[in-house]
Amino acid sequence: MSTVLNSTRQWQDEDRDHHLHPFTDINVLKKKGARMITRGEGVYLWDSEGEKIIDGMAGLWCVGLGYGRKELSAAAARQMDQLAYYNTFFQTSTMPATELSGLLAEVTPEGFNHVFYGCSGSESNDTVVRLVWRYWDMRGKPGKKTIIGRINGYHGSTLAGASLGGMGFMHAQGPLPLPGFVHIEQPHWYVNGGDLSPAEYGLKAARALEEKIAELGAETIGAFIGEPIQGAGGVIVPPETYWPEIERICRANDILLISDEVICGFGRTGNWFGCETFGFEPDIMTMAKGMSSGYAPISGVMVKDHIVETIGDGGEFAHGYTYSGHPVSCAVALANITILKDEKIIDIVRTDTGPYFQKRLGEFADHPLIGEVRGKGLVGAVQIARDKKSRALFDDVGRVGGICRDHCFENGLIMRASGDSMLLSPPLVVTRAEIDEMMDKARMCLDLTARDVGLS
Ligand SMILES: *Cc1c(COP(=O)(O)O)cnc(C)c1O
């Protein structure tokens, strides 16, 4: 026992002394020490104390195939031995980068035939901004440079990603967003819908885009970007009326429509891409996370043919990353997507595990702490509310979610808190029995939280 404890302490001390963590309060971490995750298998993780944890979040929404898939590690090892690195600049390519491009054209919706690679969702959203600007220059409309996103949207943490996103707490630490990035209301019925039905509210939320375009002038707007379902913002599932209306408004105003598929892509909602689930056709899609199940860093921007042709007429597109199309990451993504196809994992999510997950999640609608249950496929959230009837939230949003998250942590379940929403997004290979285990633990943690805040 004591040697285990000692070694965890040593790791924590070393980490505290030298490692700056993303989205972390440095001083809080110094007191608590990091939890050291040491091993993963399927939907389970183990920490350095030997505790077994069920991962309800698939890492950061990315580990679709679960941990420990040997086909993926073997693909990486094979590629490293054969050709660990070469770039895709200056008219060169590698076999994995080329083969993956063809496979992506096959699995993405009609009209998407080209991909531009990066290593993260944030990087690829920077690429999106560069592509949009270049496209409108080539179309002879250089004034169309402003991009509209949404309050509480998340598009990454680089300067462009944070500007596209609408996270107030991130903007507060900049001068952010950068000029040329504006935001409209998020389609969050529970909080903003008032007396409207979800369907009515979906149209109203979409028409905020029309109003913003009228205010700024369509001749200044290049694109609108949104996640089909907002992930980090709290798994905000828009009403069904929302996306078709957004698409109509973009077409009517000659504005590019960008779907940030970093979370929804590669099966999360029961189809290959979230835009298919919600029935709209974007011009550009950003993909990352599930593309390689997180086993290697890779991301991509899928670009519709008409944009490729327009930009192609402009000579060199002066943009790219040293690791664009990294052969090892591409080999891993190829193996990942091949398994998704061969094992029909997305069909299983759509017809079996997704509906079962939503049914079990829906049982929380009766819980005294829960105001709303939202989700699609294998992603979902329960909204903590102070008063179910009036839909009133707790005043200090985030406090009760934090209490619940701590109970999950103590009880071997990873569930993420976003404000006062508790989120689940398990690996796509999760079984019904594992869903039951997650839901039973989640119920116990919600019960403990309800007791703590006097709502049980
Ligand atoms: C995670 C995420 C990003 C950013 O991806 P990184 O790989 O963390 O840079 C962008 N968009 C969405 C929707 C995301 O969830």
Side-chain angles (χ1 to χ4, degrees), residues 193-206:
D195 294 333
L196 298 178
S197 70
E200 289 166 340
Y201 173 68
L203 291 177
K204 176 172 181 270

Side-chain angles (χ1 to χ4, degrees), residues 110-181:
E110 189 71 27
F112 283 114
N113 290 303
H114 294 83
V115 59
F116 194 104
Y117 291 114
C119 290
S120 70
S122 303
E123 266 181 37
S124 279
N125 277 329
D126 277 50
T127 297
V128 165
V129 172
R130 298 288 309 275
L131 282 166
V132 168
W133 289 349
R134 186 75 184 138
Y135 173 78
W136 289 113
D137 279 347
M138 291 305 300
R139 285 270 310 267
K141 296 184 178 179
K144 282 172 82 75
K145 293 278 165 63
T146 293
I147 304 181
I148 301 176
R150 300 177 301 175
I151 293 163
N152 200 38
Y154 188 77
H155 300 293
S157 191
T158 54
L159 294 177
S163 296
L164 290 165
M167 294 287 174
F169 71 102
M170 293 173 73
H171 292 171
Q173 295 185 6
L176 285 169
L178 298 174
F181 296 88

